[in-house]
């Protein structure tokens, strides 16, 4: 029925309804830009929620700024909605160019950030940029991943389906039944993508699909790391303060509750459990298109990994793109292919156009700058777990895929040891680290999934940090995700994606990949606090005379270590760049016979992938290790 409606609408305005894009199969269909963007209806609706966490005695209201095709409304043609719910529309901006909403005198939006409105409104969609509760013009108080935030965004979906009340600025009740089909797709990067995950986890009817980009699936795993604090990211109270749009004093109680709930220790508690969306994956009825940078040091790979696994366990329709960049939107690392794929994804799930996208490969994985490989499923079929054992105490030791581990070693904590020094020059003896390497690989090895490591250890202190880093050793040109742009550089040229108006253009600066030649690259990392070895909710001191067998996960990846390189694992204790520096000065003895690295190894055939884009590349002379990360 949505496809028939679309065809009728397009025929009404005298243009070719559907055509096949060059990148799609000959029989594929997609929506054309037949509606006038410049005359589109722009309006603001204040949606009532069921909450009142600012305590003013009235329901908190979420602002939904809407743009939709006027011709469709005139013809009585209902349209689906693409929505980006964000806390950033006024405080910080969206996208690579940090665009903010711009308002007319009557309060309607004259400029929407990003290209979603420019591109999709002419193609028969409405677009909503919703302010999360307590941000910009919405009331309530932002509770950073909590009930207020999630239920506020959900209320907009409910309003579009007639289950919530919406009002104009003057208080007049308005409905969406005359123009909205009720089908909604949520999209967004970082916090925006996180809220898409969260709303999907409520199982709200009408939410047909989500596209979470670099998104959090559990706030504990964003702010904490297996019992330790993540120093690379902002605290929950700080995030609240950054995006808070309410008058001074309005949200003091909520801010205090955030500080007490997100206690400074590493324990998992009810506060974090309420912000864990992966545990509610069974309630997800929307399809999910996951996009994530494997080298994202802000919203790290644990988020896409555990979310993906939970979705798979519940048979949720899904697709995934994994890139070599850091915290970067696909619009800025694979623009043309991304817009085309996103277009067909929304057409399929929101307009019901049978364009074949769900029969295409499930996964696209970037191997090197702009070199992509597809997989029919992810992790790939025939992926098996291979045990790598640690042998010897030489410099370096041997990482072997057969035989047994042997020997023992002692490491004394070296809290000033940087990651760069921990992983470089593997044949050099350095205090506080030990390197284990495979022999030179005679064929490529593909690690696709979540590595785990088991260490049998005895600590001289009641606790200690345990750190493991998976490293590809061998000089190669790689995407430099540690540079300031996290793998991209913004150029002076522009390209346009959609229709423009006098106040809102569809043109954005082009980007190029930033690459560097480096002798090694850390491809996955993992950490564990010794006193949290058995539980994240409570601590148990380590007996200094007892060996403990401790297993923890590294970040999920899909990386290829090429023939001629070596695969290595680097063991250290403290790692203050990535986890809170609570060095105890421990000396840890490792029983190598009881230690093993387990890697998900996928078939390595077909790795000579073709470049799918002609995007330019910027070459750095140095591999930067000092760049910070950004949440947005």
């Amino acid at each position: 029925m949505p496809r028939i409606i679309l065809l009728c609408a397009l025929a009404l305005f005298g243009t070719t309804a559907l055509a096949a894009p060059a990148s799609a199969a000959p029989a594929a269909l997609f929506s054309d830009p037949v509606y006038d963007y410049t005359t589109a209806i722009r309006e603001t609706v204040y949606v009532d929620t069921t909450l009142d966490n600012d305590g003013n005695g009235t329901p908190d209201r979420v602002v939904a700024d809407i743009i939709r095709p006027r011709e469709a409304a005139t013809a009585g043609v209902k349209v689906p909605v693409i929505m980006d719910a964000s806390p950033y529309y006024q405080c910080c901006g969206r996208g690579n160019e940090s665009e903010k909403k711009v308002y007319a005198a009557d309060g309607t939006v004259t400029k929407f950030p990003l290209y979603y409105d420019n591109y999709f409104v002419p193609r028969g969609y409405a677009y909503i940029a919703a302010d999360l509760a307590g941000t910009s013009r919405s009331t309530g108080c932002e509770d950073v991943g909590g009930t207020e935030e999630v239920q506020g965004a959900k209320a907009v979906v409910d309003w579009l389906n007639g289950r919530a009340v919406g009002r104009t600025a003057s208080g007049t009740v308005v409905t969406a039944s005359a123009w909205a089909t009720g089908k909604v797709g949520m999209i967004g990067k970082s916090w925006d993508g996180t809220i898409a995950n969260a709303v999907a986890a409520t199982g709200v009817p009408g939410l047909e699909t989500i596209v979470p980009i670099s998104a959090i699936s559990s706030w504990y795993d964003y702010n904490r790391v297996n019992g330790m604090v993540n120093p690379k990211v902002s605290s929950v109270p700080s995030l609240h303060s950054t995006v808070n749009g309410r008058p001074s004093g309005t949200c003091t109680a909520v801010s205090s509750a955030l500080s007490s709930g997100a206690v400074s220790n590493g324990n998992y508690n009810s506060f974090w459990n309420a912000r864990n969306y992966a545990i509610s994956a069974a309630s997800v009825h929307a399809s999910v298109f996951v996009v994530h940078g494997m080298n994202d040091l802000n919203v790290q790979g644990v988020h896409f990994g555990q979310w993906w696994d939970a979705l798979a366990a519940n048979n949720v329709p899904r697709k995934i793109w994994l890139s070599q960049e850091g915290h970067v939107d696909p619009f800025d690392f694979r623009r043309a292919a991304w817009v085309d794929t996103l277009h067909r994804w929304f057409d399929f799930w929101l307009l019901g156009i049978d364009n074949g996208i769900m029969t295409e490969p499930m996964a696209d994985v970037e191997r090197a700058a702009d070199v992509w490989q597809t997989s029919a499923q992810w992790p790939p079929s025939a992926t098996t777990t291979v045990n790598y054992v640690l042998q010897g105490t030489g410099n370096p030791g041997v990482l072997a895929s057969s035989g047994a581990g042997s020997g023992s070693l002692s490491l004394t904590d070296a809290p000033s040891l940087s990651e760069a020094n921990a992983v470089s020059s593997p044949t050099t003896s350095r205090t506080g680290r030990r390197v284990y390497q495979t022999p030179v690989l005679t064929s490529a090895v593909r690690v696709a999934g979540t590595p785990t490591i088991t260490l049998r250890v005895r600590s001289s202190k009641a606790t200690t940090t345990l750190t493991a880093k998976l490293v590809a050793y061998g000089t190669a040109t790689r995407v430099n995700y540690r540079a300031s742009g996290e793998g991209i550089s913004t150029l002076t040229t522009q390209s346009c994606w959609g229709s423009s108006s006098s106040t809102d253009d569809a043109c954005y600066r082009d980007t190029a990949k930033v690459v560097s030649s480096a002798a090694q690259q850390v491809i996955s990392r993992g950490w564990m606090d010794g006193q949290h070895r058995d539980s994240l909710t409570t601590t148990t001191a380590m007996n200094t005379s007892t060996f403990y067998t401790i297993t923890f996960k590294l970040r999920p990846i899909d990386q290829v270590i090429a023939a001629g390189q070596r695969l290595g694992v680097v063991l250290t204790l403290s790692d203050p760049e990535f986890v809170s520096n609570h060095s105890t000065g421990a000396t840890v003895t490792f029983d190598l016979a009881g230690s093993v690295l387990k890697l998900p190894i996928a078939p390595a055939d077909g790795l000579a992938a073709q470049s799918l884009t002609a995007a330019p590349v910027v070459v750095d002379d140095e591999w930067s290790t000092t760049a910070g990360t950004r949440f947005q």
Side-chain angles (χ1 to χ4, degrees):
M1 182 60 70
R3 179 178 174 186
I4 293 172
I5 291 173
L6 175 65
L7 289 169
C8 292
L10 298 181
L12 178 66
F13 292 99
T15 185
T16 301
L18 301 168
S23 60
L29 304 173
F30 67 101
S31 56
D32 269 346
V34 299
Y35 295 118
D36 184 7
Y37 178 77
T38 60
T39 61
I41 297 170
R42 296 168 183 257
E43 58 190 335
T44 298
V45 174
Y46 296 76
V47 180
D48 287 354
T49 74
T50 60
L51 305 173
D52 178 24
N53 82 339
D54 59 11
N56 66 356
T58 61
D60 298 332
R61 290 177 179 170
V62 170
V63 167
D65 287 310
I66 305 167
I67 180 171
R68 53 189 175 92
R70 185 175 298 275
E71 302 97 327
T74 300
V77 175
K78 296 184 179 183
V79 297
V81 170
I82 296 169
M83 179 168 72
D84 186 341
S86 176
Y88 287 130
Y89 285 127
Q90 283 305 299
C91 72
C92 313
R94 303 310 298 126
N96 192 39
E97 297 174 39
S98 299
E99 292 186 318
K100 298 180 180 180
K101 288 181 182 178
V102 178
Y103 303 93
D106 65 359
T108 58
V109 174
T110 59
K111 178 179 176 62
F112 286 86
L114 307 175
Y115 66 96
Y116 301 136
D117 57 313
N118 308 89
Y119 189 85
F120 285 104
V121 170
R123 288 169 167 80
Y125 294 84
Y127 175 69
I128 293 180
D131 299 324
L132 292 185
T135 72
S136 191
R137 298 189 295 173
S138 292
T139 62
C141 295
E142 185 28 88
D143 60 354
V144 190
T147 301
E148 178 82 10
E149 176 179 295
V150 177
Q151 292 300 314
K154 175 182 174 290
V156 180
V157 180
D158 284 330
W159 172 71
L160 290 165
N161 285 274
R163 298 186 299 267
V165 175
R167 308 172 191 273
T168 64
S170 63
T172 302
V173 173
V174 292
T175 67
S177 58
W179 61 265
T181 65
K183 292 178 179 283
V184 181
M186 292 185 69
I187 188 171
K189 178 195 168 199
S190 203
W191 200 331
D192 304 17
T194 301
I195 199 64
N197 284 342
V199 175
T202 70
V204 59
L207 183 60
E208 301 295 322
T209 190
I210 63 170
V211 185
I213 302 165
S214 305
I216 293 169
S217 57
S218 164
W219 282 89
Y220 176 88
D221 293 305
Y222 179 69
N223 284 267
R224 303 291 186 263
V225 184
N226 283 343
M228 296 166 287
V229 176
N230 181 354
K232 295 185 74 67
V233 303
S234 298
S235 68
V236 166
S238 176
L239 289 171
H240 164 86
S241 177
T242 297
V243 303
N244 179 35
R246 304 307 308 283
S248 177
T250 303
C251 296
T252 300
V254 171
S255 179
S256 297
L258 293 176
S259 295
S260 59
V263 290
S264 59
N265 64 33
N267 289 356
Y268 186 88
N269 57 22
S270 59
F271 177 90
W272 299 118
N273 196 65
R275 291 161 173 79
N276 184 347
Y277 315 124
I279 61 176
S280 298
S283 297
V284 175
H285 303 304
S287 62
V288 184
F289 187 174
V290 173
V291 182
H292 217 102
M294 290 182 287
N295 294 309
D296 192 335
L297 300 183
N298 183 352
V299 182
Q300 296 184 27
V302 60
H303 294 281
F304 84 78
Q306 64 190 6
W307 185 235
W308 183 264
D309 289 346
L311 297 173
N314 288 281
N315 298 311
V316 174
R318 61 202 182 279
K319 186 176 180 65
I320 190 167
W321 276 19
L322 297 174
S323 77
Q324 292 291 340
E325 287 69 50
H327 202 60
V328 180
D329 194 291
F331 188 72
D332 297 313
F333 66 66
R334 198 189 185 193
R335 186 167 295 179
W338 169 245
V339 174
D340 175 78
T341 304
L342 185 64
H343 180 184
R344 292 185 296 115
W345 182 265
F346 281 143
D347 275 1
F348 181 86
W349 288 105
L350 299 181
L351 289 175
I353 298 176
D354 188 7
N355 53 28
I357 194 165
M358 293 308 292
T359 62
E360 296 173 6
M362 176 183 285
D364 281 31
V365 181
E366 189 176 22
R367 291 280 160 242
D370 295 320
V371 178
W372 291 81
Q373 180 191 15
T374 61
S375 294
Q377 66 181 60
W378 199 87
S381 59
T383 297
T384 59
T385 299
V386 177
N387 291 344
Y388 283 80
V389 297
L390 286 60
Q391 298 176 335
T393 57
N395 231 357
V398 176
L399 184 64
S401 57
S402 61
S406 61
S408 64
L409 67 91
S410 292
L411 283 182
T412 298
D413 199 7
S416 63
L417 181 68
S418 66
E419 177 174 270
N421 285 331
V423 303
S424 62
S425 304
T427 61
T428 301
S429 178
R430 286 181 179 159
T431 301
R433 70 98 183 253
R434 186 56 59 93
V435 180
Y436 286 84
Q437 287 184 325
T438 65
V440 173
L441 299 175
T442 57
S443 59
V445 171
R446 180 181 180 182
V447 183
T450 302
T452 63
I453 191 165
T454 297
L455 299 172
R456 184 165 170 77
V457 298
R458 183 181 63 204
S459 173
S460 67
K461 301 291 184 178
T463 191
T464 184
T465 304
L466 299 172
T467 300
K469 299 175 188 287
L470 196 62
V471 185
Y473 283 102
T475 300
T477 298
R478 302 178 172 97
V479 173
N480 188 354
Y481 65 90
R482 302 302 297 267
S484 59
E486 300 186 50
I488 65 163
S489 175
T490 303
L491 308 177
T492 58
T493 59
Q494 288 189 330
S495 57
C496 302
W497 303 86
S499 302
S500 298
S501 70
S502 60
T503 60
D504 193 337
D505 71 79
C507 304
Y508 293 86
R509 290 186 180 180
D510 298 316
T511 62
K513 297 294 175 70
V514 177
V515 300
S516 296
S517 178
Q520 67 275 321
Q521 179 183 1
V522 180
I523 57 176
S524 186
R525 303 167 176 84
W527 308 268
M528 174 58 74
D529 176 29
Q531 64 185 344
H532 282 93
R533 64 193 178 278
D534 297 322
S535 170
L536 292 181
T537 60
T538 59
T539 61
T540 305
M542 303 176 77
N543 188 313
T544 58
S545 62
T546 301
F547 272 96
Y548 297 93
T549 299
I550 301 175
T551 299
F552 55 97
K553 295 178 180 179
L554 281 65
R555 291 346 194 188
I557 53 172
D558 189 337
Q559 298 280 18
V560 172
I561 301 88
Q565 297 184 357
R566 297 175 187 262
L567 176 62
V569 64
V570 178
L571 302 178
T572 65
L573 301 182
S574 291
D575 192 8
E577 182 179 356
F578 292 93
V579 295
S580 53
N581 187 9
H582 65 297
S583 173
T584 61
T587 295
V588 174
T589 302
F590 292 76
D591 175 9
L592 301 184
S595 301
V596 61
L597 173 69
K598 295 188 175 185
L599 299 181
I601 303 298
D605 54 337
L607 294 181
Q610 295 181 346
S611 175
L612 301 183
T613 175
V617 171
V618 175
V619 178
D620 271 358
D621 292 331
E622 296 182 357
W623 183 269
S624 171
T625 60
T626 58
T629 57
R630 50 191 175 175
F631 183 71
Q632 302 171 44

